Amino acid sequence: MVNFLRKFLLIILVFFVLIGLFSTYSTTRSTIKTVGLDSLVADIEQGKIDKIVVNNNTTVNVTLKDGTKEVVTKEATDSLPTLLKNYGLSPEIIKQLPIEVASESGWAFWLSAILPFLLPLLAFGLLIYFMMRQVQGMNNRALTFGQSGAREYPSQRKDQVNFSSVAGAKEAKSELMEVVEFLKTPDKFRAVGAKIPKGVLLLGAPGTGKTLMARAVAGEAGVPFFHISGSEFVEMFVGVGASRVRDLFRRAKKTAPCIVFIDEIDAVGRQRGAGLGGSHDEREQTLNQILVEMDGFEPNTNVIVVAATNRPDVLDPALLRPGRFDRRVTIDLPDINDREAILKIHATDKPMAKNVSLRSVAERTPGFSGADLANIINEAAILTVRRNKGNIEQQELFESVEKVMLGPERRSHILSEKEKRITAYHEAGHALVAHSLPHSDPVHKVSIISRGQAAGYTLKLPEQDKHFHSRSEFVDDLAVMLGGYATEKEIFGEVTTGAANDLKQATRLARRLVTEYGMSSLGPRTFGEKEEMIFLGREITEQRDYSESVAAIIDKEVNSFLRRAQITAKKIITGKKEQLEKIAEQLLKKETLEREEFEALLSAT
């Protein structure tokens, strides 16, 4: 529709331009003076005539000796000499006049006669032509509405990706290498009667590189790669999604061996019959067609379906049974060595300073995904350009880590002296408690510069990646979270809203210790079962599998964890008040303390 309106407006514009040109031509003609026959006779008598041209037997164009042009209109029944004779001119004078009769059969005559009628006809003809083409395009789109919109990437392309382009995920690569070998040499598997899985499901958190891994499999095998999102199957018209699935698998079988990659398959593969979370007949029909197509693969068809999702818990069980997506490959968040390798890959095409240590950046980014690490390198490059530097330095990389974690600096967010002092003591309390407790992670940075929604922040990171956490670590973390709250109450006699987020996080952690981790006096059991039905990205409800009396005990246990954490934090603050004052003073003076400065400050007291 937009293209049609654009073409229609173009036609109208051309039409008005032509009208303007002809109006200019007619305006030029209208500047010639129109006179009567008596004026022409007077000019003849005075000898002013240079040339007379008769056009169409009705128009007389007169050119005077001084260059002036005049137009005389006469009747078509009488000739010009006859009219002049009737006006009293002698035959001798008439014979001496330079009279010419223009031919009426020239192209200019026919053009001037036909063009005023032909132009509107051509304009309307073009309009009808474009309208017909638009209607024809709609018909073609209607015929292709049920076809798959999968993008096909050929086996040989410039942006080819292979396993060397993907850092980390060693176990995932070894699992997927079998798929690569099957696509390359299927006879080796058939010789021993082995059947390669028809479907491979890539599981992992957002940004871990599931799509990149699927492309790497196609690149290693050197086969075409079909890419489509699960949401592209589903339409408001019943049957369209199933038709697109059939078309996709038909195309894949023609180009076999190949890989069909369905990204975010949970958009179409959610459990059937849930009734909530966007379930409807069209989605379920599409899922049914996917199941049927995967069952219908011939034994010797070299088509591998690779799907990716970060919500395997909501998938329909029929998708996960043997014969469909029975090979599940988990892509975990990278560890410190993998993070360093990922950072090196993204830094290859960027100018890095010689003293840059990507290992230090990897140490500061536990829990970061590959996409987060790529964003860090990109943000560091942007900061380098903003500061008019030629190379990316360590400072830009560290600031990019904090920007990705907390948000950009808000130096324009100016605090009053009182608020700045409260923030300095608040963050000093967090840092001092974290430094004093044996099971807390070391403090890497303390700052009172606003980032994101935080007026200040204390950055504490583990020395090595952790996959398990003990009760002692959680108890110390609770005390660190309440360190700012305890400091405000001890130094200023009251608390501010700056501790609101700390209290929220501490309460949430304490409740998980009781209800999920079994680390309270209630014993080794969990409390509450969350429903897996999702609406607008949030859990609708939590099924309570405990009584009201147990709920009261849970609340008591949560309060006990928080109360003990507050007592611990207060004991450290009051016992090391001199160190607290020094940290706060340095923060007010320098605004930011790195790990070396912070530890040197505490060791000096």
Side-chain angles (χ1 to χ4, degrees), residues 179-196:
V179 178
V180 173
E181 291 180 2
F182 175 78
L183 291 171
K184 283 184 174 180
T185 57
D187 294 335
K188 183 172 64 173
F189 290 84
R190 294 177 187 139
V192 296
K195 295 181 180 178
I196 200 70

Side-chain angles (χ1 to χ4, degrees), residues 94-363:
I94 294 174
K95 288 180 181 180
Q96 295 177 357
L97 291 175
I99 299 175
E100 296 180 7
V101 179
S103 175
E104 296 183 356
S105 59
W107 65 269
F109 168 75
W110 292 107
L111 190 63
S112 62
I114 296 175
L115 204 58
F117 304 99
L118 185 60
L119 278 178
L121 185 61
L122 288 175
F124 283 111
L126 287 173
L127 179 61
I128 293 173
Y129 170 73
F130 284 118
M131 289 177 65
M132 293 297 293
R133 284 195 60 183
Q134 190 71 18
V135 172
Q136 185 179 3
M138 291 180 178
N139 290 335
N140 291 335
R141 284 194 295 273
L143 293 174
T144 60
F145 193 62
Q147 294 183 2
S148 166
R151 293 164 292 281
E152 180 180 357
Y153 298 92
S155 57
Q156 302 296 329
R157 56 185 186 275
K158 294 182 179 179
D159 58 343
Q160 188 72 275
V161 177
N162 48 37
F163 283 156
S164 62
S165 307
V166 184
K170 301 177 183 63
E171 294 80 5
K173 288 179 183 178
S174 62
E175 285 284 328
L176 294 172
M177 185 56 71
E178 295 179 0
V179 178
V180 173
E181 291 180 2
F182 175 78
L183 291 171
K184 283 184 174 180
T185 57
D187 294 335
K188 183 172 64 173
F189 290 84
R190 294 177 187 139
V192 296
K195 295 181 180 178
I196 200 70
K198 296 179 181 178
V200 179
L201 186 62
L202 302 179
L203 311 176
T208 50
K210 298 182 290 294
T211 303
L212 186 64
M213 189 66 75
R215 290 182 57 193
V217 173
E220 287 287 337
V223 297
F225 179 77
F226 290 89
H227 178 273
I228 191 170
S229 173
S231 60
E232 295 182 43
F233 288 115
V234 183
E235 287 282 352
M236 64 179 292
F237 304 105
V238 177
V240 172
S243 175
R244 290 178 177 176
V245 171
R246 289 190 295 270
D247 181 70
L248 171 62
F249 281 90
R250 178 185 56 79
R251 290 173 57 190
K253 291 174 184 177
K254 284 184 177 180
T255 58
C258 67
I259 288 179
V260 176
F261 178 61
I262 305 176
D263 200 5
E264 304 295 346
I265 194 173
D266 53 277
V268 71
R270 285 176 178 266
Q271 186 171 355
R272 291 168 290 182
L276 290 173
S279 174
H280 57 86
D281 290 340
E282 166 61 7
R283 182 183 61 78
E284 293 188 359
Q285 288 188 21
T286 305
L287 174 58
N288 291 337
Q289 189 63 44
I290 293 177
L291 300 177
V292 170
E293 290 290 342
M294 293 190 71
D295 276 345
F297 274 179
E298 292 81 5
N300 298 327
T301 301
N302 298 346
V303 177
I304 304 295
V305 183
V306 181
T309 181
N310 53 14
R311 291 299 312 274
D313 51 322
V314 301
L315 294 180
D316 194 280
L319 272 175
L320 306 179
R321 75 155 175 82
R324 289 169 182 157
F325 290 104
D326 50 0
R327 175 71 60 93
R328 290 180 283 279
V329 179
T330 301
I331 303 179
D332 295 317
L333 291 171
D335 58 20
I336 185 169
N337 295 321
D338 292 341
R339 290 197 298 273
E340 184 180 7
I342 293 171
L343 288 169
K344 287 180 179 179
I345 287 177
H346 292 292
T348 51
D349 59 342
K350 296 177 177 60
M352 293 285 175
K354 293 183 179 179
N355 61 344
V356 165
S357 172
L358 294 178
R359 182 73 178 186
S360 300
V361 180
E363 292 173 353

Side-chain angles (χ1 to χ4, degrees), residues 402 406-428 430 445-459 484 488 496-502 587-588 590-593:
E402 297 166 18
L406 304 169
E409 284 188 356
R410 295 192 300 155
R411 291 188 177 272
S412 60
H413 182 65
I414 302 175
L415 301 175
S416 64
E417 290 299 324
K418 180 180 179 181
E419 290 177 337
K420 192 173 182 181
R421 182 176 176 81
I422 292 173
T423 303
Y425 275 94
H426 182 102
E427 299 303 330
H430 282 306
K445 187 174 184 178
V446 188
S447 176
I448 59 173
I449 298 174
S450 297
R451 275 191 180 275
Q453 299 298 319
Y457 58 95
T458 299
L459 186 63
E488 289 186 19
T496 65
T497 56
N501 188 61
D502 296 333
L587 286 175
L588 289 171
K590 301 181 65 175
E591 292 187 334
T592 299
L593 289 176

Side-chain angles (χ1 to χ4, degrees), residues 509-530:
L509 176 57
R511 182 164 292 276
R512 296 184 72 180
L513 292 177
V514 178
T515 61
E516 296 182 28
Y517 303 147
M519 295 180 177
S520 69
S521 61
L522 288 173
R525 65 158 289 185
T526 61
F527 299 90
E529 183 178 351
K530 294 180 175 63

Side-chain angles (χ1 to χ4, degrees), residues 51 64 162 167 182 247 298 389 398 401 409 445 558 576 586:
K51 185 178 181 182
L64 303 181
N162 48 37
F182 175 78
D247 181 70
E298 292 81 5
K389 294 183 178 180
F398 284 163
V401 173
E409 284 188 356
K445 187 174 184 178
V558 171
K576 300 182 178 181
Q586 286 297 314

